[in-house]
Amino acid sequence: MSQTGTQAQSSNTTTYYTLLGLHPSASVIDIRRAYRELSKQYHPDTTELPDHVATAKFQEINEAYATLSHPERRLSYDLKIGYSRFGVIQTPTDLNHPVHKPHDYSKSMYLDASDRPLSSGEIFVLFVLVLTFVGCLVLAIAVAVFRGEPSLQTQLSSYLNIQQIYQIYQINTQTTSII
């Protein structure tokens, strides 16, 4: 009876974090690293453990990683186990010398590998991409003009009519000034 009670208590205290050997404040990178190491160790094809033990342990590791690698699932799991990511303000032990610990943002749970400034190569590629897009637009307009797109032809013909009227006006003003 006491043995089953002990097993039930140990299964309740086993969290996904302890399964992966991590603290609840572990970063996404730490979680990924721990998962890879443990999955290599407990994969049924590569371990020397019996198949049923290795399979069960590998499934637990996969379930833990699936939950902890997804931000929304991890947040709900943290609430379920009673862990809060929000820092609680505590009074320093010595009020004459307050403790100041800078926050290490590299250990943040939501730090994504793509949240970084662009490199010079990436900026150059974006510049070439924009330049190509603008070039394609200019080329499409030029092809439409030379092929005789009807909507562009009406605009061009009205523009040409205005130029012809202006030329006739200039010729008339020159002839009247001569006479």
Side-chain angles (χ1 to χ4, degrees):
M1 185 90 162
S2 65
Q3 189 177 18
T4 58
T6 307
Q7 287 177 350
Q9 287 177 352
S10 67
S11 67
N12 287 342
T13 59
T14 302
T15 64
Y16 290 154
Y17 294 107
T18 57
L19 187 65
L20 295 177
L22 299 170
H23 186 270
S25 65
S27 70
V28 175
I29 296 168
D30 294 336
I31 293 170
R32 186 178 306 132
R33 187 177 299 131
Y35 168 73
R36 285 183 181 170
E37 289 173 8
L38 290 172
S39 65
K40 288 177 189 174
Q41 183 179 354
Y42 290 107
H43 194 278
D45 294 339
T46 60
T47 187
E48 296 177 6
L49 293 173
D51 284 341
H52 67 281
V53 174
T55 303
K57 186 72 170 176
F58 188 70
Q59 287 175 346
E60 288 176 352
I61 293 168
N62 280 334
E63 182 181 342
Y65 180 70
T67 300
L68 298 180
S69 64
H70 193 271
E72 288 86 18
R73 285 189 234 153
R74 183 176 180 182
L75 185 61
S76 65
Y77 179 75
D78 288 345
L79 292 174
K80 178 181 166 187
I81 64 170
Y83 179 75
S84 174
R85 298 212 176 284
F86 302 106
V88 178
I89 299 174
Q90 297 177 354
T91 59
T93 55
D94 184 11
L95 294 176
N96 294 328
H97 298 89
V99 178
H100 182 278
K101 294 180 184 176
H103 182 67
D104 185 11
Y105 290 100
S106 66
K107 301 289 184 191
S108 172
M109 175 182 93
Y110 299 110
L111 180 66
D112 188 10
S114 63
D115 290 343
R116 59 174 176 70
L118 295 176
S119 68
S120 58
E122 291 168 331
I123 292 172
F124 177 73
V125 168
L126 286 174
F127 173 73
V128 169
L129 183 67
V130 168
L131 193 63
T132 304
F133 180 72
V134 169
C136 287
L137 283 177
V138 169
L139 183 64
I141 292 170
V143 166
V145 166
F146 290 120
R147 280 197 176 173
E149 190 70 32
S151 64
L152 289 174
Q153 286 297 327
T154 58
Q155 292 175 357
L156 284 176
S157 64
S158 66
Y159 176 72
L160 292 175
N161 288 340
I162 292 172
Q163 279 188 334
Q164 290 172 350
I165 293 170
Y166 182 70
Q167 288 174 352
I168 294 171
Y169 172 74
Q170 283 182 340
I171 293 171
N172 286 340
T173 55
Q174 288 176 356
T175 57
T176 53
S177 64
I178 296 176
I179 300 179

